[in-house]
Amino acid sequence: MVAELISVGTEILLGNIVNTNAAYLAEKCALLGLSLYYQNSVGDNEERMEETIRRALGRSDVVILTGGLGPTKDDLTKEVTAKVFGKKLYEDLHTKERIMDFFQKNHSGHKITENNWKQALVPEGAKVVENANGTAPGLIIIGEEGTEYAGKMAILIPGPPNECIPMFDRQIAPYLGKLQPDGIYSCMVKVCSIGESRAETMVADLMDAQSNPTLAPYAKTGEVHFRVTAKAKDEKTAQELMRPLVDELLRRFGDHVYTTKEEVTLEQAVVQLLKEKKMTVTTAESCTGGLLSGRIINVPGASEVLNEAHVTYSNEAKEKILGVPHGILKAHGAVSRETAEAMARGACQATGADASIAVTGIAGPDGGTEEKPVGLVYIGCCVRGNTVVEKYQFTGNREKNREYAVARGLILLREALLHA
């Protein structure tokens, strides 16, 4: 089936909010085996909305609309879609009861304003999709035989991500999945410390020969993810189809593969590795300002491996907290191989941790020189007394340079742990 996404809301067109729903739904549609050829955004204008919906229905089997289902006058998605399908609206008593229950549980003591009952109006013949996280229900409308859009389907979903995502995952996706003759199943192979170009070159022959399953690379900051996708009648058959390709990726990338589970992040893999080796870690950060330790702390159970972390932004802090010799800072400067090494060693000595990661650099946009340009970063890693330092020259803005440094710090720590 061919699907199309329409994001409704003037705030999206003006850039007031980031359209995260479209990215999420596009990926989920692909996993369901739907062919997605078009995405659209349209403001809260009845005429333009009708034109957009009609154009989408004319070329796609399923049109998924997000937003515009609220209680205000400019929430027009349901009304315009009903008009396109030639459907009248009626008050759905069950939906009205759910709206009342929602207000009583979440807004006790507040009177329900009259415009909220607008959300209880649904098109004739539509399937109502209950909303466990809000008042506006989802709707599935199918064109009747003999009408202009016979057999075409419009799926209306609330715009707030905390309503859109659960509704799609729990109710819409299973519904669409039943309409597909074959399911789409996938797994992820995540690779670090190899650049996108090199990684893609290493699997070029596999991509040229792909049919079912397929292989697709996705570049991330400091990582490359390979999604292996198979179309099959059931998950077991899909796993059998994907297994040889996954095994080949593991053979080619070896230790550079840090997980084959989509939900596992690089920092989770590092924390798990520390736990397996029964080791603790500390951080000493300058230009990253706590972002590195923050990534680690985001992992549930990180307290088992990280007891202390330091942000030593000034030279005085590097000397006082980490014991970096004044002579090193004076002779080589804060951004140097020697300082990064001393920071890494000093962090372990100061905390008694088995391992450490130290970052010092020039994130920008100012502070660079011809000898030490913006984006220059040194990362030191000390594991049980053995210290390595890597030099990097990043070319992003301040935010990106800091993100790159954090990713490279995690990768360097992981590599050192593997060989410890």
Side-chain angles (χ1 to χ4, degrees):
M1 290 192 299
V2 176
E4 186 161 339
L5 301 181
I6 299 177
S7 303
V8 178
T10 302
E11 67 276 11
I12 293 174
L13 289 178
L14 295 178
N16 297 139
I17 63 171
V18 178
N19 190 5
T20 55
N21 285 343
Y24 178 83
L25 293 174
E27 183 178 10
K28 291 299 181 180
C29 284
L31 293 177
L32 286 167
L34 298 169
S35 299
L36 191 67
Y37 299 143
Y38 299 97
Q39 290 189 30
N40 297 283
S41 295
V42 63
D44 303 306
N45 176 276
E46 184 174 353
E47 183 179 340
R48 288 189 287 272
M49 199 182 300
E50 181 179 346
E51 178 187 351
T52 302
I53 295 171
R54 289 189 182 278
R55 185 171 60 246
L57 288 170
R59 64 193 178 194
S60 302
D61 304 305
V62 180
V63 178
I64 301 173
L65 299 101
T66 55
L69 298 179
T72 62
K73 290 182 179 179
D74 62 350
D75 289 313
L76 299 167
T77 302
K78 173 176 55 186
E79 289 77 3
V80 175
T81 306
K83 177 184 175 182
V84 169
F85 278 93
K87 304 278 189 180
K88 292 182 179 180
L89 299 176
Y90 74 96
E91 187 174 69
D92 181 61
L93 295 180
H94 179 69
T95 300
K96 189 172 184 178
E97 289 175 4
R98 285 187 59 82
I99 293 172
M100 189 177 297
D101 289 343
F102 185 89
F103 269 90
Q104 289 176 348
K105 291 176 181 176
N106 297 279
H107 305 285
S108 180
H110 292 273
K111 183 180 178 181
I112 303 176
T113 58
E114 193 63 30
N115 58 356
N116 278 287
W117 301 125
K118 174 177 180 285
Q119 296 172 105
L121 297 175
V122 304
E124 293 174 330
K127 175 180 174 60
V128 178
V129 183
E130 292 189 352
N131 184 354
N133 301 287
T135 53
L139 297 164
I140 299 174
I141 307 171
I142 301 175
E144 295 178 0
E145 199 68 38
T147 62
E148 183 178 2
Y149 300 112
K152 297 298 182 77
M153 181 187 304
I155 299 176
L156 283 56
I157 308 175
N162 67 318
E163 298 177 35
C164 171
I165 292 173
M167 181 180 290
F168 189 87
D169 278 352
R170 297 168 191 168
Q171 298 173 88
I172 305 298
Y175 177 85
L176 289 172
K178 292 177 182 178
L179 303 179
Q180 294 288 86
D182 287 320
I184 300 294
Y185 303 89
S186 69
C187 65
M188 190 75 82
V189 177
K190 297 185 179 182
V191 175
C192 63
S193 74
I194 292 183
E196 180 186 9
S197 298
R198 182 185 166 201
E200 190 168 347
T201 300
M202 291 173 66
V203 298
D205 60 315
L206 299 177
M207 295 182 68
D208 289 341
Q210 65 183 335
S211 55
N212 186 27
T214 59
L215 179 65
Y218 300 88
K220 304 290 182 180
T221 302
E223 306 175 40
V224 180
H225 298 178
F226 289 96
R227 183 180 293 282
V228 180
T229 305
K231 181 180 290 189
K233 62 181 180 179
D234 54 48
E235 186 173 2
K236 181 181 178 182
T237 304
Q239 293 292 346
E240 292 172 354
L241 288 169
M242 292 188 288
R243 189 72 256 169
L245 184 52
V246 172
D247 287 344
E248 182 60 21
L249 291 173
L250 293 174
R251 187 189 70 80
R252 295 190 185 193
F253 289 105
D255 286 343
H256 295 297
V257 176
Y258 70 83
T259 187
T260 56
K261 296 180 179 179
E262 184 159 7
E263 68 276 11
V264 174
T265 63
L266 178 58
E267 52 267 34
Q268 285 177 314
V270 169
V271 168
Q272 182 59 37
L273 191 56
L274 285 162
K275 289 180 179 179
E276 290 172 1
K277 290 181 173 287
K278 294 181 172 54
M279 296 172 66
T280 56
V281 69
T282 188
T283 59
E285 301 179 66
S286 184
C287 64
T288 48
L291 289 179
L292 177 55
S293 59
R295 282 275 295 269
I296 296 173
I297 291 169
N298 278 341
V299 179
S303 59
E304 295 179 37
V305 299
L306 178 67
N307 297 320
E308 292 184 48
H310 303 103
V311 176
T312 52
Y313 205 57
S314 68
N315 285 359
E316 291 76 13
K318 291 178 178 65
E319 291 184 47
K320 179 182 177 181
I321 297 172
L322 304 176
V324 177
H326 180 76
I328 286 181
L329 290 166
K330 185 175 181 180
H332 303 284
V335 182
S336 64
R337 182 178 298 274
E338 292 79 6
T339 296
E341 181 177 359
M343 288 172 66
R345 288 185 178 277
C348 282
Q349 292 169 1
T351 63
D354 301 298
S356 70
I357 281 287
V359 185
T360 181
I362 306 169
D366 304 316
T369 65
E370 186 174 339
E371 182 183 351
K372 296 182 178 182
V374 168
L376 175 65
V377 175
Y378 289 93
I379 302 177
C381 179
C382 181
V383 176
R384 288 178 174 161
N386 296 316
T387 307
V388 294
V389 178
E390 295 290 345
K391 175 184 177 182
Y392 299 95
Q393 181 61 59
F394 303 125
T395 57
N397 58 22
R398 182 179 181 84
E399 182 182 2
K400 281 296 181 184
N401 289 338
R402 296 172 76 211
E403 287 179 8
Y404 290 140
V406 169
R408 286 297 173 184
L410 289 169
I411 291 168
L412 184 60
L413 175 58
R414 177 178 178 273
E415 290 175 344
L417 291 171
L418 287 174
H419 297 98

